[in-house]
Amino acid sequence: MGFWGTLAFLQASRPAETLGALGPWAELGMDSWHCGDGWQGVQFRHDDSLDWRSVLIEVMRETARPVVGAFVFDSDGACVLGAAPTSGNWQAVLEIEGVLAHLVLPEIEWVDGEEIPRTFEDDPDYLQEREDVRSTFTAMCGPVEDIARRATRWSAEAGYRAEAELITQALETTGGFVEEVFMKLVRALGLPDAASSAR
């Protein structure tokens, strides 16, 4: 069983759990830890009542500092949001096949006498829905090169000098737990201490 919830990194002068924007998550049992260069990591399990993107944007507004986070789908894939007061927001999807596997489910049929249901992964409607969701993500995030360019500006606003090539490599990484891919992206953004301190 993998992790299902949000991992994020923020910079604040006081503990993350005392931020107003994170109050609802802290009440639900948020984990937090201090990282290098004033950064803090937070981790919390999924809750349908909270919009993780809206909360991260509120954190950015409250701290007036860049923030980056990922919503993780059972460690198989993740949606990423980077937000900064001046350079703006950027989004990405890590391990998109893993994300699609959780968002678009094939039809199943239980057959008498069989313990495992039959799945219809070649169903045209299912395949079309997968492609529609994939296209939605592509339109929302943009090409990988554009994501890397916006993420580089985010990194500069955070006080680092990231290389677009390393960010692109992280965005295109596949295999293993997606949390590890996200940490590779965080390191590429210039936050090595934050990434190595993640729980």
Side-chain angles (χ1 to χ4, degrees):
M1 188 70 176
F3 174 68
W4 192 290
T6 301
L7 292 169
F9 292 98
L10 59 97
Q11 210 173 27
S13 59
R14 64 181 197 268
E17 57 269 18
T18 67
L19 295 174
L22 291 177
W25 280 340
E27 292 177 4
L28 294 172
M30 178 183 75
D31 289 330
S32 64
W33 60 97
H34 288 278
C35 310
D37 203 16
W39 287 85
Q40 299 177 59
V42 295
Q43 175 178 304
F44 42 90
R45 299 246 168 218
H46 175 60
D47 185 275
D48 288 328
S49 66
L50 296 175
D51 180 346
W52 68 280
R53 288 186 179 91
S54 296
V55 174
L56 290 184
I57 290 173
E58 285 303 313
V59 168
M60 179 268 294
R61 290 172 177 162
E62 184 174 351
T63 62
R65 296 288 299 156
V67 61
V68 62
F71 183 84
V72 178
F73 294 82
D74 202 24
S75 296
D76 296 323
C79 293
V80 176
L81 171 68
T86 301
S87 59
N89 303 343
W90 54 274
Q91 298 183 78
V93 179
L94 305 177
E95 300 272 19
I96 190 169
E97 296 303 324
V99 173
L100 292 174
H102 288 284
L103 295 182
V104 186
L105 304 178
E107 293 291 328
I108 64 171
E109 180 182 82
W110 288 92
V111 179
D112 290 341
E114 295 185 7
E115 295 182 0
I116 300 176
R118 296 178 184 176
T119 59
F120 297 92
E121 295 186 351
D122 58 350
D123 177 71
D125 291 338
Y126 163 71
L127 295 174
Q128 184 61 54
E129 185 178 359
R130 279 182 66 96
E131 290 311 305
D132 289 345
V133 174
R134 187 192 305 275
S135 296
T136 298
F137 277 128
T138 300
M140 178 179 69
C141 300
V144 172
E145 294 77 11
D146 288 348
I147 299 171
R149 185 163 50 251
R150 293 194 297 272
T152 300
R153 291 199 294 266
W154 179 98
S155 176
E157 188 169 348
Y160 302 104
R161 296 182 62 182
E163 296 182 22
E165 182 179 352
L166 294 179
I167 294 173
T168 299
Q169 290 175 4
L171 293 170
E172 295 178 337
T173 297
T174 59
F177 292 106
V178 77
E179 296 95 312
E180 297 173 359
V181 180
F182 177 57
M183 294 309 166
K184 180 177 181 179
L185 174 61
V186 170
R187 286 192 294 272
L189 290 170
L191 285 65
D193 292 337
S196 64
S197 301
R199 295 178 177 179

